[in-house]
Structures are given as structure tokens and as C-alpha cells.
Amino acid sequence: MPHPSTTGPVHRLVPAPAGRIHLVEQGSGPLVLLVHGFPESWYSWRRQLPALAAAGYRAVALDVRGYGRSSRPAAADAYRMVELVADSAAVVEALGERSAVIVGHDWGATIAATSALLRPDLFRAVGLLSVPYTPPGGPKPSEAFAALGGPGAEQEFYVSYFQEPGRAEAEIEPDVRGWLAGFYAALSGDTMPPPGAPDPHFVTAGGRLRDRFPAGRLPSWLTEEDLDVYAGEFERTGLTGALNRYRNMDRDWADLAGHHGAALTQPSLFAGGTLDASTTWLSDAIDAFPVTLPGLSATHLLDGCGHWIQQERPEETNRILTDWLADLPA
């Protein structure tokens, strides 16, 4: 009988508060839960699952609520952070485990961090990719993001653009595949717009987000077949469940008010790309890690890498993760 680490990934559905969570697992050993961001799926971890399995871990990548084959509740407030933390906990329990290491990318990093904050009994360590930890608190998110457009509101930050139900969907859903290709290219190290070009994180008044996307070339990490996988999922599910994550930021701010300024005390890791706006704009959050992440083992900034770190630099990311996991307390 082959060792579990040498067999392919296995798809499963497990019960969760919203109904079901779809996950893909490979390997055996301590549980490592992998949480994707926007607009992605479990497939974003396709290069990590076999590497973690080969290193002796039970690697599990899930479809976040609203994505893929996981349940997609109709209510917008079903996508608040506390609900996603409940899903993370439900997956660990459904798999018969008592604890897990949780690793997230993009929104998944925030889900992972909040899961570790609210359920330290289940999540013994936390790895964050691309989006650094910022403790709950600060100004109300909707007000902070609205101010990013600048005087006169000549342009609008993408998070604000995503707030109104149906608005971004009307742009994306007529051409899901083309929109995703442009969005991925806009934030990839090898295809993002050059310095001085219009920033693809902003929408011109009366325009569309995709107006600033690069056209005609896929990032080196994204094959036509990979794009087919992502597009096929969103063509089937629509984008509302994914976009509803952005529409709950003010609710999250209120829900987590009791944790204002809270540090994550578990062992932690951060890795990001030097060309990623998430690391450059949030450099103050990285500088604050000695206070906010007292259990941090290392910060890795990959030169020339954009936002999609585990797909742009899979071998480096796998090495960073497996070295960190090997050093964690049992």
C-alpha cells in the first residue's frame, strides 16, 4: 500500500456551520490547514499539498465559504470573519484532529490570523502569506478605504468599489475568465503595470477596475489550464460569495472590538513579495511584528515577487513553510 504522501490529493465534503466545506487533503501527520484568498480556491495550494505531504504533514486546502464546492449562504452577513473562523474550527473537528497549524494567503491570511486569535485552543501556530497581521481596531474600515481615493474622489479604491452588491459582479460576470486573467496579471511580479502607470487597485470615476489591468499576457505561474480551473469555478458559482467578504469589514470591526490591539502569541511566520502592495503599503504592520507577533520566527520578503506568492514562487514558499513547520514544538 503506498504511503499517503505519495498518493494524490483527495476531495472531501465536511459539515460546517454554513452547511458544508469542500476540502482537498494529501498526506498524513500533523494537520496543516491552508486557506486561500480572493479570487481563488483550494487550487491555489496545488503546489503546496504534495510538498507538505512529502514532508510528513496532513495538508488540507479548503474552499472558503462562498467559493467552489463549499456552501454559499445567501445572506451577506454570513461572510463576516467570525463565521469564517467557525468554519476553520469545524474543519479541524470534522477531520478528527485536536489542533492544527493554519496558513493563509491574502484574505486567507486574515482568516488564519483571526482563527488563531479567537481559537488558540485549536490553532497552535499561524503562517501568513502576503498580508501581514494587523491587530483589530483602528478607524472604521469603510471610512479609511473611502479616504484612499483622495480629494475630489477622482478615483476609488477597489475595496470601496466592491462594497455595493451587484456593482463589481456586473463588471466581472460577463467575462469571468478575462477578468480573472487581468486581475492575476495586475498583481503578479512579472506582469504588473510598471512604476508610474495607473494603479490597478483603483477605479477611475465612472470606469471599471479592469480598465487598468494588463492585457494579452498571462503571468508565468498561470497556465491556460490553471486559468480554466479558476474561471470554471467562478462561472459556476458567480462572484457574490467571494465579494461578500469585502462587504463585512465594518461588521468585523464591530465584532472584534473586544480584541483591540491584541497580539498573536502562537508561533508565527510571515512571507511576502517585495513588489506586492500588501507588503509595501503595510510596511508599518511588518515593522510592528515584534509587538503584534511575539512568536514570529522570521519574516521572508521574496525579491521581485508579487502578490500570488505560493504560486509565483512555489519552491521557495514550500521550503519556507516546511523549514518553519519542522521547527515548531510538537
Side-chain angles (χ1 to χ4, degrees):
M1 184 175 181
H3 188 276
S5 66
T6 64
T7 61
V10 175
H11 293 252
R12 295 180 57 181
L13 297 174
V14 300
R20 69 177 182 273
I21 291 292
H22 168 245
L23 58 84
V24 181
E25 68 173 311
Q26 189 168 356
S28 60
L31 176 60
V32 180
L33 186 63
L34 305 169
V35 189
H36 68 81
F38 175 90
E40 302 180 76
S41 78
W42 76 267
Y43 190 74
S44 300
W45 302 102
R46 63 194 177 280
R47 305 289 291 276
Q48 283 67 55
L49 287 168
L52 293 175
Y57 298 95
R58 185 183 189 184
V60 173
L62 55 82
D63 278 336
V64 171
R65 175 188 301 216
Y67 289 81
R69 292 168 58 191
S70 292
S71 291
R72 301 187 303 279
D77 65 357
Y79 297 84
R80 63 210 303 160
M81 188 59 66
V82 292
E83 299 283 357
L84 302 181
V85 170
D87 288 343
S88 299
V91 168
V92 176
E93 293 162 1
L95 293 175
E97 302 282 359
R98 291 188 174 185
S99 68
V101 176
I102 188 166
V103 178
H105 169 257
D106 183 76
W107 264 122
T110 307
I111 296 170
T114 313
S115 297
L117 179 65
L118 301 184
R119 293 300 307 270
D121 56 313
L122 279 182
F123 299 105
R124 62 187 181 93
V126 57
L128 308 176
L129 303 184
S130 299
V131 175
Y133 177 60
T134 55
K140 194 172 186 178
S142 60
E143 297 171 0
F145 290 123
L148 290 177
E154 296 176 358
Q155 58 181 6
E156 184 179 14
F157 193 50
Y158 79 101
V159 176
S160 299
Y161 178 69
F162 285 169
Q163 292 304 307
E164 181 184 341
R167 185 182 178 197
E169 288 93 327
E171 172 186 337
I172 302 168
E173 293 189 1
D175 177 23
V176 170
R177 193 177 193 277
W179 193 92
L180 290 174
F183 190 80
Y184 296 146
L187 305 185
S188 294
D190 60 342
T191 49
M192 63 175 52
D199 190 332
H201 295 89
F202 291 86
V203 181
T204 304
R208 306 170 302 169
L209 197 64
R210 69 183 302 160
D211 293 340
R212 296 184 173 187
F213 292 169
R217 186 160 71 98
L218 293 182
S220 59
W221 59 267
L222 184 70
T223 67
E224 296 285 353
E225 292 75 19
D226 293 331
L227 183 56
D228 286 342
V229 172
Y230 285 120
E233 290 290 75
F234 287 112
E235 287 166 354
R236 179 175 58 81
T237 65
L239 270 292
T240 297
L243 289 163
N244 277 342
R245 172 81 292 274
Y246 292 91
R247 296 165 183 163
N248 279 277
M249 298 178 77
D250 283 350
R251 293 187 182 98
D252 299 338
W253 179 76
D255 289 343
L256 299 173
H259 299 274
H260 181 94
L264 293 181
T265 58
Q266 295 98 319
S268 57
L269 170 80
F270 177 75
T274 60
L275 298 182
D276 185 4
S278 297
T279 57
T280 56
W281 290 350
L282 295 175
S283 60
D284 288 350
I286 295 174
D287 292 342
F289 281 170
V291 174
T292 61
L293 294 177
L296 184 73
S297 65
T299 292
H300 301 269
L301 295 178
L302 278 56
D303 190 46
C305 183
H307 183 64
W308 318 104
I309 180 171
Q310 78 270 35
Q311 299 181 86
E312 292 187 52
R313 302 287 180 82
E315 292 181 0
E316 287 177 79
T317 301
N318 292 346
R319 183 171 63 251
I320 288 168
L321 289 176
T322 54
D323 287 352
W324 173 63
L325 290 165
D327 288 339
L328 291 177

